[in-house]
């Protein structure tokens, strides 16, 4: 499974949806994921890719990690993985 | 002052997954204590306990709930669901705003702590699940009960070691009695049966490797248990107006502090709590027929407790029955008073006195009628339940047949 599919699977599980119902444009809010659910999804992503996501639940908009859509989350994770490899 | 009655009871413990199963086990003198089953149990010197066996959390809670509920919260919610169902009470409007939850526990989410300490210290992991804190906090159970049943009044947790549940129920009683709350959900829970939870107790060297034998000359220590007991305390007129089945009336409560030693019990402190509860309820001591003992099965507790009872009741001490159900379900620490209150309800409702099982030989220092090994039928009007905690904190509650 590539990064995109893995992230979609994690987000879908958190939102209690089928992966096919998770579109790249959706925001966590659109998918019905609340703040606690978001923190749990970030944890699952960190575990899955063994990375550290700079996400601050106090003020997500101030984090160095864009969570405004599934596509942005995937892009951020791909960047973190690339940084880790280099 | 308002009168306070119990209109619902629920439990899960080593003797059963609900109140009828627990009563049946107490009546039969069933021992719920057996080999412990969890990770690293082979590294423990103490390998027995009153563990809730055959429990599958997934039967009762979904994945999202389980990510937030430690075992002690799960037990509490299961017991609360039973108690609320029996009472038939639903909380809306002003009733919801004024009614709350006071629960006792000592270890909080100890299993959650244990698992996560193991992950970061032993396995060297540097990341823990985000819900570790909301899972392990001691008030998690009370908060989840308030959320599930829309209880929006005074809600908190009491932590006084082995007296936690009795202190919690005493506080709930006082709130309903004073008119502050029309109903309170109260009791307590504990889920300490994990490697760290038992290892810590082992250190004190007061644990038995074989069995819990309260009051027996052959006793050699306490045995831990786990589970929950939850009750609906309701103002009498409120309960009567809606035609609720009244299980018992709470008629007295008192607490005291030994102010003496952090672990050794004091006869004077225990006696002050027992006599305080009698005084609080203006109860003539001759009316008390049964006492559910703290009865831990340690050398220190049992003789001190018997001496305190003898001091308070004088000649009547020889007429009353006193038993320790810890011999069957183990010591639930912060949840123990709640599960033991069930033995009091069974005595009042069904006229059955739960026995002290595993009893082998009389101890002259515990020369009371401890209802050895077999349950007894007796019509009783007033019963009491003792809890004497480490730290010298004592809480005693008195109940009567409605």
């Amino acid at each position: 499974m590539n990064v995109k599919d893995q992230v979609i699977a994690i987000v879908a599980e958190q939102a209690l949806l089928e992966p096919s119902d998770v579109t790249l444009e959706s925001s966590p809010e659109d998918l019905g994921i609340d703040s606690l659910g978001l923190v749990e999804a970030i944890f699952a992503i960190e575990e899955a890719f063994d990375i550290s996501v700079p996400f601050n639940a106090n003020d997500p908009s101030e984090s160095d990690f864009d969570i405004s859509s599934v596509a942005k989350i995937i892009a951020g994770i791909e960047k973190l993985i690339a940084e880790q490899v280099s | 002052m308002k009168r306070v009655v119990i209109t619902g009871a629920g439990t899960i413990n080593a003797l059963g997954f609900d109140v009828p199963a627990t009563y049946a086990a107490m009546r039969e003198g069933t021992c719920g204590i057996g080999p412990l089953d969890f990770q690293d149990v082979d590294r423990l010197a103490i390998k027995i306990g009153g563990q809730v066996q055959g429990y599958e959390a997934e039967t009762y809670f979904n994945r999202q709930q389980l990510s937030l509920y430690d075992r002690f919260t799960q037990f509490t919610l299961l017991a609360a669901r039973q108690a609320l169902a029996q009472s038939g009470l639903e909380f809306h409007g002003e009733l919801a705003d004024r009614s709350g939850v006071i629960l006792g526990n000592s270890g909080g989410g100890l299993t959650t702590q244990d698992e996560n300490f193991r992950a970061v210290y032993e396995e060297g992991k540097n990341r823990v699940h985000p819900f570790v804190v909301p899972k392990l906090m001691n008030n998690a159970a009370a908060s989840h009960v308030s959320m599930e049943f829309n209880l929006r009044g005074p809600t908190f947790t009491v932590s006084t070691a082995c007296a936690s549940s009795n202190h919690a129920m005493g506080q709930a009683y006082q709130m309903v009695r004073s008119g502050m709350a029309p109903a309170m959900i109260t009791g307590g829970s504990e889920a300490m049966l994990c490697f760290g939870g038992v290892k810590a107790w082992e250190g004190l060297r007061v644990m038995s490797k074989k069995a819990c034998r309260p009051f027996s000359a052959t006793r050699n220590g306490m045995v831990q248990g786990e589970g929950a007991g939850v009750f609906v305390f309701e103002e009498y007129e409120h309960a009567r107006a809606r035609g609720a089945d009244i299980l018992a009336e709470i008629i007295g409560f008192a607490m005291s502090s030994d102010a003496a030693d952090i672990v050794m019990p004091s006869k004077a402190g225990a006696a002050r709590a027992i006599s305080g509860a009698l005084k609080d309820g203006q109860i003539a001591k001759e009316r008390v027929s049964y006492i559910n003992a703290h009865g831990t099965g340690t050398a220190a507790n049992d003789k001190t407790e018997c001496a305190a009872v003898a001091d308070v009741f004088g000649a009547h001490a020889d007429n009353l029955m006193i038993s320790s159900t810890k011999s069957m379900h183990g010591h639930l620490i912060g949840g123990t008073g709640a599960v033991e209150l069930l033995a009091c309800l069974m005595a009042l409702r069904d006229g059955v006195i739960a026995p002290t099982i595993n009893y082998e030989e009389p101890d002259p220092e515990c020369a009371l009628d401890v209802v050895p090994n077999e349950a007894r039928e007796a019509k009783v009007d007033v019963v009491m339940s003792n809890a004497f905690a480490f730290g010298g904190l004592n809480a005693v509650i008195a109940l009567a047949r409605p």
Side-chain angles (χ1 to χ4, degrees):
Chain A
M1 224 193 287
N2 61 24
V3 173
K4 181 183 142 197
D5 290 343
Q6 254 180 292
V7 172
I8 286 176
I10 290 168
V11 170
E13 196 190 356
Q14 196 64 48
L16 301 175
L17 294 171
E18 288 301 317
S20 55
D21 295 332
V22 176
T23 65
L24 290 172
E25 300 75 45
S26 330
S27 70
E29 216 174 6
D30 296 336
L31 299 168
I33 297 175
D34 63 8
S35 61
L36 214 51
L38 188 58
V39 174
E40 204 183 12
I42 297 282
F43 168 74
I45 287 166
E46 289 184 326
E47 289 281 281
F49 300 105
D50 197 22
I51 53 172
S52 195
V53 177
F55 172 75
N56 184 344
N58 293 305
D59 192 353
S61 63
E62 286 297 301
S63 302
D64 290 331
F65 190 78
D66 191 345
I67 49 127
S68 56
S69 72
V70 174
K72 294 271 171 53
I73 293 172
I74 294 168
I77 290 163
E78 282 172 337
K79 186 163 162 265
L80 286 167
I81 294 170
E83 281 169 6
Q84 201 181 39
V85 172
S86 59
Chain B
M1 285 209 297
K2 313 278 190 189
R3 290 173 66 186
V4 185
V5 295
I6 301 177
T7 55
T11 190
I12 177 167
N13 65 81
L15 296 177
F17 282 34
D18 55 27
V19 173
T22 301
Y23 285 172
M26 285 180 172
R27 209 177 283 131
E28 293 301 314
T30 308
C31 186
I33 292 166
L36 289 170
D37 179 19
F38 50 72
Q39 192 177 345
D40 294 330
V41 70
D42 50 307
R43 286 178 55 209
L44 292 169
I46 304 301
K47 294 185 171 69
I48 59 164
Q51 200 171 11
V52 175
Q53 302 285 356
Y55 170 72
E56 300 286 344
E58 295 74 20
T59 311
Y60 308 99
F61 304 103
N62 66 34
R63 187 185 64 86
Q64 280 180 310
Q65 290 172 318
L66 288 174
S67 72
L68 280 165
Y69 299 171
D70 179 88
R71 194 169 167 92
F72 92 104
T73 297
Q74 296 170 28
F75 288 161
T76 310
L77 283 168
L78 291 179
R81 288 173 185 177
Q82 295 167 20
L84 269 295
Q86 182 176 31
S87 79
L89 259 186
E90 285 185 18
F91 294 90
H92 306 287
E94 203 209 332
L95 180 65
D97 288 347
R98 293 180 57 218
S99 303
V101 188
I102 305 179
L103 295 171
N105 78 76
S106 185
L110 207 74
T111 313
T112 298
Q113 288 211 33
D114 206 47
E115 283 168 0
N116 285 282
F117 280 150
R118 181 183 278 120
V120 294
Y121 293 144
E122 186 180 320
E123 296 160 14
K125 279 194 68 168
N126 279 326
R127 189 182 296 127
V128 297
H129 191 278
F131 304 166
V132 171
V133 168
K135 247 176 121 169
L136 67 76
M137 59 194 196
N138 289 55
N139 60 311
S143 294
H144 284 297
V145 170
S146 79
M147 287 183 259
E148 187 160 324
F149 299 101
N150 192 36
L151 292 142
R152 308 199 296 184
T155 296
F156 57 92
T157 291
V158 176
S159 191
T160 50
C162 313
S164 302
S165 285
N166 269 22
H167 273 118
M169 294 188 293
Q171 184 72 68
Y173 167 54
Q174 289 173 340
M175 281 188 182
V176 178
R177 183 165 70 167
S178 72
M180 181 177 169
M184 292 296 292
I185 309 308
T186 187
S189 60
E190 201 73 83
M192 259 191 204
L193 298 180
C194 56
F195 178 74
V198 177
K199 182 54 84 180
W201 278 99
E202 234 178 68
L204 268 169
R205 293 163 200 268
V206 294
M207 309 293 286
S208 172
K209 290 179 183 174
K210 296 232 170 79
C212 178
R213 305 184 189 286
F215 308 119
S216 176
T218 54
R219 69 187 180 276
N220 60 2
M222 53 176 272
V223 175
Q224 279 177 268
E226 66 172 357
V230 175
F231 304 90
V232 178
F233 283 16
E234 188 173 352
E235 193 267 311
Y236 171 70
E237 294 297 342
H238 190 274
R240 212 180 58 144
R242 64 187 190 87
D245 184 18
I246 293 171
L247 306 179
E249 178 171 1
I250 304 140
I251 57 169
F253 174 73
M255 41 194 163
S256 68
S257 173
D258 296 344
D261 190 276
I262 197 68
V263 290
M264 287 306 287
S266 130
K267 182 179 79 167
R272 282 194 298 123
I274 299 168
S275 59
L278 293 173
K279 196 176 165 200
D280 181 55
Q282 297 176 299
I283 306 160
K285 58 191 176 189
E286 290 73 22
R287 289 179 62 209
V288 178
S289 312
Y290 170 64
I291 298 174
N292 183 284
H294 191 55
T296 55
T298 60
N301 175 82
D302 295 3
K303 66 181 180 193
T304 306
E305 181 166 15
C306 288
V309 168
D311 268 16
V312 171
F313 290 93
H316 181 62
D318 294 329
N319 303 328
L320 56 79
M321 295 170 280
I322 176 168
S323 72
S324 170
T325 52
K326 286 187 179 76
S327 55
M328 295 183 271
H329 51 63
H331 191 336
L332 279 77
I333 317 293
T336 213
V339 169
E340 289 164 31
L341 200 73
L342 292 170
C344 292
L345 292 184
M346 182 171 79
L348 293 169
R349 289 277 287 186
D350 301 344
V352 177
I353 308 299
T356 305
I357 69 162
N358 302 322
Y359 187 84
E360 294 177 327
E361 270 179 49
D363 175 353
E365 289 197 273
C366 303
L368 299 174
D369 177 0
V370 301
V371 197
N373 298 322
E374 280 181 25
R376 202 177 298 164
E377 286 191 13
K379 189 166 175 283
V380 298
D381 291 321
V382 176
V383 303
M384 300 179 88
S385 184
N386 290 343
F388 308 131
F390 274 2
L393 309 184
N394 312 301
V396 175
I397 194 161
L399 292 89
R401 216 140 49 92

